[in-house]
Amino acid sequence: MAVAASMMPYFGQQISSKNDLVPDWTQQEVSTGTTIMAVEYDGGVVIGADSRTTTGAYIANRVTDKLTPIHERIFCCRSGSAADTQAIADVVTYQLGFHRYTHTHTHTHT
């Protein structure tokens, strides 16, 4: 794994305090993306997600549903490119439906 040069002190560097050993990025504001959380309890699992879609610093949509039902007991928690995650959720839903159909219907050949 490559480590950025600014993160590693070089030999002979003058260090005047502990702060000189702390990388610059630790002092900068953290930009967060999607927040998705799941909590298990005795009766099941509760899932939740934030609802904002952003494009850089611009909030494109404040009411996005990031929890997509795949099956009555399966959800896809989406983050990243909306089009890509929706396409994956659609493919998984289709494949799960196809799997259910092929395993619940008996075929008789006459």
Side-chain angles (χ1 to χ4, degrees):
M1 177 167 57
V3 178
S6 64
M7 294 174 57
M8 294 183 58
Y10 58 88
F11 293 108
Q13 177 182 8
Q14 296 299 319
I15 298 172
S16 59
S17 72
K18 284 191 335 186
N19 289 339
D20 288 343
L21 296 174
V22 178
D24 291 340
W25 57 265
T26 62
Q27 305 304 317
Q28 297 172 359
E29 182 178 332
V30 176
S31 175
T32 59
T34 293
T35 301
I36 297 174
M37 185 172 131
V39 178
E40 182 179 14
Y41 67 101
D42 288 340
V45 176
V46 175
I47 58 175
D50 70 307
S51 62
R52 292 197 291 185
T53 300
T54 58
T55 305
Y58 173 72
I59 298 171
N61 189 344
R62 293 187 183 275
V63 288
T64 302
D65 189 4
K66 296 181 181 180
L67 305 175
T68 303
I70 301 294
H71 180 267
E72 64 186 38
R73 303 180 97 187
I74 301 171
F75 280 76
C76 177
C77 301
R78 303 182 318 136
S79 88
S81 170
D84 292 341
T85 58
Q86 185 60 56
I88 289 170
D90 290 346
V91 168
V92 172
T93 302
Y94 172 80
Q95 292 293 333
L96 186 60
F98 185 73
H99 178 76
R100 182 183 323 137
Y101 179 80
T102 58
H103 286 76
T104 58
H105 290 75
T106 57
H107 299 283
T108 56
H109 296 284
T110 56

